[in-house]
Amino acid sequence: LRLLDVPFVGAGVLGSAVGMDKALMKDVFSAHGFPIPPHQTFVRSAWERDPEAIKTRVEASLGSVCFVKPANLGSSVGISKTHNREELHRGVELAFEYDRKVVIEQAVRGARELECAVLGNDDPRASVVGEIIPCNEFYDYEAKYLKNDSTLLIPAPISEELSEKVRRLSVEAFKSLDLAGLARVDFLLDGEGRELYLNEVNTMPGFTRISMYPKLWEATDVPYPELVNRLIELAVERHAEKNRNRYTRAQV
């Protein structure tokens, strides 16, 4: 679309690519000083060369309760929550079916899942904060798409101070990846409500009428039709900004 000079909704090549790669995304978040769960990343060849060494390293630095994720995938496909060395092995093997790179994160004890929607280009704004209470142990593929028992709380039952922190970090995370148009920013709050962690940014979130992104904006007084119109306007705005650049060298 960039090469065809066509406006489009959402992030460009850079933001989309980094937003898809959980390992690189965490590197950017870490460089900006955002609070993220402790994690490790490694590739398939390293695992095949010495899986026992990797399991020992993970257990020593992250503990036994972890999330194992393919670095480049969505909808919780290939993700496992592990509680011991055997489950860790199976989880890594599953993740490597989907990607050559795997991210292992330390599980946040008693985690609550908070989400915030962001809308805009260079001056984005954040929605109210929502909370997901999954019907399974975590918000996996089954809980997202095959069951209808998870609960969405909008707004999330959290303090105004914490809500403002989530909204501020959402905008900062959006800017750190040079995103545009829309994104949903996901957080983890520990069970005691003391520690907030930035989990990931979804650069093209679900957009059905029952998806979290439009629901969050509806609760922020931006109804679905207006949201669609605004996204189109942002796409045209970003396209016009791009066309201010020069792509040929002026003749002397």
Side-chain angles (χ1 to χ4, degrees):
L1 293 172
R2 287 289 298 271
L3 291 173
L4 292 172
D5 198 32
V6 175
F8 57 89
V9 172
V13 174
L14 176 64
S16 298
V18 178
M20 176 60 77
D21 190 307
K22 293 177 176 64
L24 289 177
M25 187 195 310
K26 289 179 183 299
D27 288 343
V28 174
F29 290 165
S30 180
H32 281 262
F34 298 145
I36 60 175
H39 69 284
Q40 291 193 14
T41 302
F42 53 93
V43 296
R44 185 187 289 124
S45 59
W47 171 258
E48 292 175 342
R49 186 165 54 248
D50 196 345
E52 294 305 314
I54 288 177
K55 285 185 286 187
T56 298
R57 189 177 77 202
V58 168
E59 289 173 335
S61 61
L62 304 180
S64 58
V65 184
C66 299
F67 282 95
V68 183
K69 305 178 179 182
N72 294 273
L73 207 59
S75 296
S76 298
V77 174
I79 293 181
S80 303
K81 185 175 183 180
T82 68
H83 304 81
N84 52 55
R85 195 178 183 93
E86 182 179 343
E87 290 182 358
L88 176 63
H89 187 99
R90 290 200 302 266
V92 172
E93 290 284 343
L94 174 65
F96 276 134
E97 292 181 16
Y98 296 97
D99 197 0
R100 62 174 287 275
K101 184 164 55 174
V102 160
V103 175
I104 301 181
E105 300 172 357
Q106 185 180 80
V108 176
R109 188 181 298 274
R112 295 170 62 183
E113 301 192 32
L114 305 178
E115 298 189 351
C116 186
V118 178
L119 178 69
N121 286 334
D122 292 341
D123 188 25
R125 56 183 287 233
S127 71
V128 300
V129 180
E131 179 176 0
I132 295 175
I133 301 178
C135 56
N136 290 348
E137 187 176 7
F138 69 98
Y139 203 39
D140 59 8
Y141 185 90
E142 183 181 57
K144 287 180 178 179
Y145 303 111
L146 304 181
K147 292 184 176 180
N148 195 31
D149 299 328
S150 296
T151 303
L152 306 184
L153 302 178
I154 305 173
I158 56 177
S159 69
E160 184 61 32
E161 180 182 7
L162 180 57
S163 177
E164 284 302 312
K165 183 176 182 180
V166 169
R167 297 175 73 246
R168 174 178 56 80
L169 284 173
S170 295
V171 169
E172 291 177 0
F174 186 93
K175 290 182 175 181
S176 75
L177 299 182
D178 194 27
L179 302 185
L182 74 165
R184 194 193 68 239
V185 188
D186 300 345
F187 295 83
L188 299 170
L189 179 67
D190 78 335
E192 296 181 353
R194 296 179 179 177
E195 298 293 334
L196 179 70
Y197 299 95
L198 174 57
N199 188 31
E200 62 182 19
V201 168
N202 189 320
T203 61
M204 189 54 70
F207 211 88
T208 69
R209 290 187 179 275
I210 62 171
S211 297
M212 192 62 146
Y213 185 88
K215 279 182 171 292
L216 288 170
W217 280 114
E218 185 119 26
T220 319
D221 297 326
V222 183
Y224 195 94
E226 182 180 335
L227 181 59
V228 172
N229 286 338
R230 182 61 184 137
L231 287 168
I232 294 171
E233 292 170 354
L234 289 167
V236 173
E237 175 187 289
R238 176 53 62 95
H239 183 255
E241 175 70 14
K242 176 190 75 73
N243 284 342
R244 294 178 62 187
N245 301 337
R246 177 190 295 176
Y247 294 99
T248 57
R249 189 170 67 88
Q251 297 295 322
V252 178

